[in-house]
Amino acid sequence: ISNRISLMTRWFFLFLLALILVLSFRFSTFSSAPINTVACDSFSIESDLSGIWDLNRIDNFSGFKPYLIKTGLENYSFLINAIMPFLLSNSQLLIIDTCDEEMSLSYNYFRKWHQYTIPLLGNEKINSNLEDQEGTAVYDQDLLAMKINAKNIDFNQDLYLDGGELIREIEFQDSSSGKIKFIYRRND
């Protein structure tokens, strides 16, 4: 009986350790969305992209190589490429809210939120909550194509639906490492 109790105690502590690790990761990466969603009183452009999306997986995270080089983090690229997709998956939210003729696109990297306000009619400038970013966007019913000019590096970002999943593709200018795909599923 004492061996059984000892074995049960070990399993209980392993379970407790795993639970504490998962909960501490969730609490350390959680940050409420910085946007206020308001129900529109007037006519709004319909978009299948609208909603709250959870990051499911990332394909080709090594495509961030040009960004890591520009920011001086290329020495850590192996570590970043191995760990970041795991940490971001199931902890990143993407929120798309459409009101009148404007779309709000917000997503988080851990506790830091990136938010863009995008006019839906025409190829117009977008506004960003990040001071060093500006750009333009073109909206079609099935695709949002953005060109972002950042302080360190310029990139293209496309959002579209593919088989019920939302795909956010990022490609850095003059990159030979290919597009990074963030694949989201709808948060129901």
Side-chain angles (χ1 to χ4, degrees), residues 16 18-19 32 38 51 56 60 66 70 77 87 123 129 131 149 163:
L16 191 60
L19 184 65
S32 59
V38 178
N56 188 28
N60 190 29
K70 289 262 183 168
S77 63
L87 294 177
N123 183 358
N129 69 334
E131 293 178 10
N149 304 320

Side-chain angles (χ1 to χ4, degrees), residues 17-176:
L17 177 64
L19 184 65
I20 289 170
L21 288 173
V22 168
L23 290 177
S24 63
F25 172 72
R26 287 291 184 175
F27 285 126
S28 66
T29 61
F30 177 77
S31 174
S32 59
I35 61 170
N36 295 325
T37 55
V38 178
C40 292
D41 294 333
S42 59
F43 175 75
S44 215
I45 294 174
E46 291 292 323
S47 174
D48 291 336
L49 302 176
S50 293
I52 299 174
W53 301 84
D54 291 317
L55 180 61
N56 188 28
R57 64 188 185 280
I58 303 172
D59 291 340
N60 190 29
F61 197 78
S62 60
F64 273 108
K65 184 178 179 181
Y67 176 78
L68 297 176
I69 291 170
K70 289 262 183 168
T71 55
L73 296 172
E74 70 271 10
N75 293 336
Y76 304 101
S77 63
F78 175 76
L79 187 64
I80 290 171
N81 290 334
I83 294 177
M84 286 294 283
F86 171 74
L87 294 177
L88 285 174
S89 294
N90 296 311
S91 70
Q92 186 182 85
L93 288 177
L94 183 131
I95 303 168
I96 300 175
D97 190 29
T98 307
C99 186
D100 292 330
E101 296 171 354
E102 195 171 75
M103 179 182 280
S104 172
L105 168 68
S106 305
Y107 54 89
N108 67 313
Y109 282 107
F110 303 114
R111 298 180 73 74
K112 184 176 182 181
W113 281 89
H114 296 232
Q115 183 176 18
Y116 302 98
T117 306
I118 304 151
L120 297 179
L121 300 177
N123 183 358
E124 298 186 34
K125 282 190 166 187
I126 60 176
N127 293 322
S128 173
N129 69 334
L130 303 173
E131 293 178 10
D132 63 346
Q133 288 190 4
E134 57 182 37
T136 58
V138 176
Y139 173 74
D140 184 354
Q141 187 175 4
D142 300 326
L143 172 71
L144 175 64
M146 302 168 60
K147 292 181 188 267
I148 309 290
N149 304 320
K151 179 181 172 185
N152 293 329
I153 192 165
D154 298 336
F155 61 95
N156 296 330
Q157 179 168 265
D158 295 337
L159 284 95
Y160 58 91
L161 291 174
D162 183 23
E165 295 179 317
L166 179 81
I167 310 295
R168 182 168 65 100
E169 280 185 352
I170 298 174
E171 183 174 27
F172 292 99
Q173 212 167 40
D174 304 323
S175 172
S176 61

